[in-house]
Amino acid sequence: MQEQKKNLLGLTEDELEAFFLELGHKKYRAKQLLQWMHQKYVVDFDLMSDFSKDLRNELSSIASVSLPEIISETSSSDGTVKWLFNSGVGQAIETVFIPESERGTLCISSQVGCALDCSFCATGYQGFNRNLSASEIIAQVCFANSLLPRRKNGLPAITNVVFMGMGEPLANYKNVLKALRILLSDNAYGLSKRRVTLSTSGIVPNLDSLGDDCNVSLAVSLHAPNDELRDKLVPINKIHPIAELLEACWAYAEKHSNRYITFEYVMIRDINDSVLQASELAKLLKNKPAKINLIPFNPFSDCDYQRSSSEQIKLFQAKLRELGVIVTIRKTRGDDIDAACGQLAGKVSNKVLVRLSEKKRRAVVL
Ligand code: SAH
Ligand code: SF4
């Protein structure tokens, strides 16, 4: 059987330096290769003109720079673009580009499905197949940047990256951390930590590690002001309840000059959207480095929840403001192509863990 070639796309600068040193080459080759892959989007060794013919041949014989196959591209009337990538037989993940005048945000996936089973989320409903590799995560950025036209100022289309696609990024910690390092590396995407946001439903031990390893901007999916309700909406809460999660959040913020954390709160009619619940929420977050982002619930088939009315969302927002909490409402983008928050489903077959029992869920995420 032919040995599979090493895919270099998901290697960090340190890993690439080690790779070249082991082959007996100078370590600055790592920097050159990063620039080819992530700044010029060149994946064919033969086109890497500052590598000698011998080096190109050597690389081709043992390694590759592979991007996943694209299954489809769909564009929304509001300019949002969604891609479906092949992640193996019967599996597919989704990536969404959201253009705005001042920035271009890419929403990327970290897993094929998700095991955490939040009751309002299409990805959770799909179940879980596997973690994406670092190459598969970073390939979404490389691919999108190579396809999208540059901005007017000549810079790449993607100015911001958010881990808000399919999957729970902190449940795939090792690979997500590598992808983060590549996003921040000056020789690759060179994004600042402010422009990279990881969204998590709250896997506390890995949140603590992230604070030490790579303090990118943090968004936390809170969605309920008390444990009783959060247990139902975000089942990981039964393992890491609100008090434990918030303690980890304040520690994260404190390590990084009290940078604000965004708390995501999906607005579901008659479930978590009362003014009383807004007051309860304000008590948790008041006088803390926190801002709330209200996300109108995005419906998907098989889910009975309904979106809160815009009047109710405004009342909820007003109460939070009155109680001194910073709060914004997320604009819904791409819902005509099922690309809005929580609508990404991709394709998940051979689910290894669907509707996990608590014990199993703990095994998967820790
Ligand atoms: N697993 C991570 C990141 C992916 S989900 C997390 O849960 O944070 C990205 C965001 O979309 C989360 O805030 C999530 O709660 C929200 N979301 C999920 N389903 C949604 C839906 N149907 N409508 C609106 N937002 C949803
Ligand atoms: Fe997973 Fe996030 Fe969806 Fe929950 S909201 S099921 S953690 S992707």
Side-chain angles (χ1 to χ4, degrees), residues 22 61 63 80 92 132 135 157 171 185 193 275 287 294 303 344-345 348 353:
E22 203 176 309
S61 67
T80 301
L132 293 180
S135 307
S185 163
K193 289 175 178 171
V275 170
N287 299 326
L294 301 176
C303 184
L344 301 188
V348 185
L353 295 152

Side-chain angles (χ1 to χ4, degrees), residues 267 294 309-319 329:
M267 295 295 290
L294 301 176
S309 67
S310 35
E311 295 75 46
Q312 191 58 32
I313 297 178
K314 284 195 188 113
L315 283 176
F316 197 91
Q317 180 185 37
K319 185 48 130 188
I329 300 174

Side-chain angles (χ1 to χ4, degrees), residues 120-121 163-165 167-168 199-200 221 223 264 266 297-298 341-342:
F120 51 85
C121 171
F163 283 75
M164 294 186 187
E168 167 48 55
S199 176
T200 179
S221 291
H223 307 313
E264 295 158 295
V266 61
F297 168 70
N298 292 307
C341 294

